[in-house]
């Protein structure tokens, strides 16, 4: 799942740019969100590392977060919905405009109602990155790993990839609501 090693140095800007270019090419060349999620997962496995990666999108009513993608189908299957109402941490994630770090097991236990399931996967830290487009939070990109794994540069790098997902969702929504063009002669 995670290609990053324990001896983590700073992100190589050329590597980040190359992987961002690859994911951007998928976004530009396909309307298949699953292909983009796979490209983002591959890039972040190499750049930031994770034991679990999920992509959650707000439901149309805004009352939940639907799991659109997961790196672990058995533990966290796609399609599951987390209700937002009454969960202060999920509401915080949807109003935050910056990544949120839960650096250790204590923070995960306080913030995640499913902390025991997270711990069962060997994860004790989480980096939750808002998926945003034009000032609106549309969902979250979530990376989980061992305690103390994530560092500040991971937030910035992951935000770049979350922004690609936001652009894909916005483009898909715009295409679904735009009337089909008609051929007209001048």
């Amino acid at each position: 799942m995670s290609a990053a090693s324990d001896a983590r140095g700073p992100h190589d800007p050329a590597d980040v740019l190359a992987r961002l270019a690859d994911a951007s090419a998928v976004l530009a060349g396909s309307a298949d969100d699953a292909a983009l999620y796979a490209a983002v997962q591959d890039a972040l496995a190499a750049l930031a590392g994770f034991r679990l990666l999920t992509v959650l999108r707000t439901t149309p009513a805004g009352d939940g977060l639907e799991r659109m993608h997961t790196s672990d189908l058995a533990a966290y299957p796609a399609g599951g919905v987390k209700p937002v109402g009454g969960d202060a941490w999920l509401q915080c994630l949807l109003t935050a405009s910056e990544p949120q770090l839960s650096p250790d097991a204590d923070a995960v236990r306080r913030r995640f109602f499913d902390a025991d399931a997270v711990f069962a996967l060997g994860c004790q830290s989480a980096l939750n990155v808002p998926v945003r487009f034009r000032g609106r939070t549309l969902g979250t990109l979530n990376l989980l790993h061992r305690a103390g794994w994530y560092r500040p540069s991971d937030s910035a790098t992951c935000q770049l990839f979350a922004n690609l997902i936001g652009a894909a969702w916005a483009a898909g929504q715009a295409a679904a609501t735009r009337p089909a063009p008609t051929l007209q002669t001048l």
Side-chain angles (χ1 to χ4, degrees), residues 88-106:
W89 174 241
L90 290 178
Q91 291 173 355
C92 171
L93 289 178
L94 292 178
T95 57
S97 61
E98 296 179 358
Q100 303 294 309
L101 177 62
S102 300
D104 55 35
D106 288 338

Side-chain angles (χ1 to χ4, degrees), residues 61-79:
D63 58 352
L65 288 167
E66 180 180 1
R67 192 173 307 108
M68 307 303 293
H69 176 79
T70 179
S71 64
D72 188 336
L73 288 168
Y76 284 90

Side-chain angles (χ1 to χ4, degrees), residues 10-159:
H11 293 282
D12 173 15
D15 192 24
V16 173
L17 188 58
R19 293 176 190 281
L20 188 59
D22 290 345
S24 294
V26 171
L27 174 60
S30 173
D32 180 12
D33 285 348
L36 177 60
Y37 302 149
V40 167
Q41 178 175 313
D42 289 348
L44 293 181
L47 294 169
F50 57 83
R51 291 183 178 165
L52 174 67
L53 178 142
T54 63
V55 177
L56 304 177
R57 185 176 187 172
T58 56
T59 58
D63 58 352
L65 288 167
E66 180 180 1
R67 192 173 307 108
M68 307 303 293
H69 176 79
T70 179
S71 64
D72 188 336
L73 288 168
Y76 284 90
V81 176
K82 290 184 174 189
V84 174
D87 189 319
W89 174 241
L90 290 178
Q91 291 173 355
C92 171
L93 289 178
L94 292 178
T95 57
S97 61
E98 296 179 358
Q100 303 294 309
L101 177 62
S102 300
D104 55 35
D106 288 338
V108 170
R109 190 174 290 106
R110 280 192 316 273
R111 294 176 169 172
F112 293 84
F113 71 89
D114 57 348
D116 289 337
V118 169
F119 297 151
L121 296 174
C123 301
Q124 301 91 24
S125 69
L127 178 59
N128 304 101
V129 184
V131 173
R132 295 176 54 82
F133 187 76
R134 295 192 172 165
R136 289 184 41 235
T137 300
L138 307 174
T140 62
L141 169 64
N142 313 288
L143 294 87
L144 294 88
H145 213 303
R146 67 174 170 81
W149 181 261
Y150 295 108
R151 57 188 188 216
S153 61
D154 292 323
S155 295
T157 297
C158 293
Q159 188 66 69

Side-chain angles (χ1 to χ4, degrees), residues 179-184:
T182 59
L183 182 61
Q184 298 178 350

